[in-house]
Amino acid sequence: MYRLALSAALVVTLPAFSHAQSEVQWTQTLSTPKGATIPRDRADIVGIEMGDTYAEAKAKLLKLFEEGIQPREAQEDVPPFTKYKVVPVKETRTSLRFKAPGSSQIVTASFVRRLKMERETKGTGPRAIDETIEVVLSSPASGHQVIGIERTLEFRNESDQPRVSEFLAQVNAKLKGQPRISLIGDQGTYTYQFNDGNVVAPSKSDNYCYTRHGDFQAAQLVSINKTGDCDAVLQIKIGFGISRDHAKYIQFVFSDNDRVKANLTADFAFVENYVRTLQDKTRGATPKL
């Protein structure tokens, strides 16, 4: 299964002008509901939720950008967000090209894979707090849903550095569980593992249960949550600041692994079936005997 998906890297090197090409017309075949893997009160980062659609996630990122202190141009009579000196939300598209064995037809499947918002918020000192939020999406075949969220905060004024102990206490209370802790040098890594909707005692190694929202190869699907107890992972990295109880930066990496597996399985199956349908529609006249 997924033989067409696995051949994509080979096809991309071929000259575009030598083959007929067509763009996939996406049809939704799966809609994994919000809260299916993680209870909704624990499945978000600053309001962006696992299972949000592309439109929902982008609207939330635009609102967060509005609340920042990004510099603006002087015009006030222009459409919303065009008055900014920067693009509020940057989009990164993924393009996959597939070729059935023996065919000259190349099928391209493209969609917005990532949304990224960068902003500054006011700190207590002369320098702002830097923040970056990036969401990773599945394809429109599975609802164009958020399957992973990444967020980084950098506190450039020492007076803005939050207490690590107080921050982790808030995270533990929200998630209703405790992380695995790894301290190396001036950085701490705190890993929360979800199983059946709850934070559980984490595995001993990141190599056993880790974030998978960056995967986008059919061959990787079988290894996602293979043992069934790694439904989702939140990893928080903290760079220590003026003391080991102060954070100069905080990075969140949140992956809904079960949603990743279900959605990407549907995405690859859709494209493979799409190409097969094109094959089935091709039927020339039967030669005379």
Side-chain angles (χ1 to χ4, degrees), residues 34 48-49 51-62 89-93 111-116 135-140 142-147:
K34 296 178 183 180
I48 301 169
E49 189 176 353
D52 274 349
T53 64
Y54 160 85
E56 291 172 332
K58 187 169 183 178
K60 291 177 180 180
L61 288 173
L62 287 172
V89 179
K90 298 177 183 177
E91 299 186 352
T92 301
R93 297 186 69 86
F111 63 97
V112 176
R113 172 80 168 154
R114 287 179 176 262
L115 297 172
K116 182 178 182 180
V135 300
V136 181
L137 302 153
S138 63
S139 89
S142 55
H144 215 178
Q145 294 183 339
V146 175
I147 56 176

Side-chain angles (χ1 to χ4, degrees), residues 181-190 236-240 244:
I181 302 173
S182 174
L183 302 176
I184 301 177
D186 60 354
Q187 178 179 280
T189 301
Y190 306 83
I236 300 175
K237 292 185 178 181
I238 297 177
F240 301 129
R244 293 182 73 83

Side-chain angles (χ1 to χ4, degrees), residues 194-222:
F194 289 81
N195 182 41
D196 295 334
N198 297 309
V199 172
V200 297
S203 54
K204 295 181 180 180
S205 170
D206 284 336
N207 294 327
Y208 175 80
C209 182
Y210 55 96
T211 58
R212 303 299 298 268
H213 62 288
D215 293 354
F216 202 65
Q217 296 291 330
Q220 296 169 320
L221 294 175
V222 68

Side-chain angles (χ1 to χ4, degrees), residues 58-78:
K58 187 169 183 178
K60 291 177 180 180
L61 288 173
L62 287 172
K63 185 175 185 299
L64 289 168
F65 182 88
E66 272 279 274
E67 296 168 356
I69 55 173
Q70 295 286 358
R72 307 184 184 205
E73 304 234 6
Q75 307 99 308
E76 293 298 333
D77 58 345
V78 293

Side-chain angles (χ1 to χ4, degrees), residues 263-283:
N263 286 20
L264 294 191
T265 297
D267 295 345
F268 285 117
F270 171 81
V271 176
E272 185 169 21
N273 290 335
Y274 187 93
V275 175
R276 186 174 291 112
T277 299
L278 292 179
Q279 292 174 318
D280 291 343
K281 288 181 179 178
T282 301
R283 182 166 301 179

Side-chain angles (χ1 to χ4, degrees), residues 18-55:
S18 63
H19 299 276
Q21 298 190 59
S22 65
E23 178 76 22
V24 165
Q25 302 301 308
W26 293 104
T27 300
Q28 186 170 341
T29 61
L30 178 71
S31 180
T32 305
K34 296 178 183 180
T37 302
I38 315 167
R40 294 187 64 179
D41 61 346
R42 288 166 249 179
D44 75 289
I45 298 288
V46 290
I48 301 169
E49 189 176 353
M50 296 296 182
D52 274 349
T53 64
Y54 160 85

Side-chain angles (χ1 to χ4, degrees), residues 121-157:
T121 54
K122 188 173 178 55
T124 59
R127 295 185 292 182
I129 298 171
D130 290 333
E131 181 175 14
T132 300
I133 302 175
E134 191 164 1
V135 300
V136 181
L137 302 153
S138 63
S139 89
S142 55
H144 215 178
Q145 294 183 339
V146 175
I147 56 176
I149 307 168
E150 302 169 8
R151 181 190 184 204
T152 302
L153 291 162
E154 184 178 357
F155 307 96
R156 296 191 289 172
N157 299 305

Side-chain angles (χ1 to χ4, degrees), residues 238-253:
I238 297 177
F240 301 129
I242 57 175
S243 80
R244 293 182 73 83
D245 195 35
H246 289 85
K248 65 181 179 183
Y249 71 82
I250 301 175
Q251 180 188 62
F252 305 76
V253 182

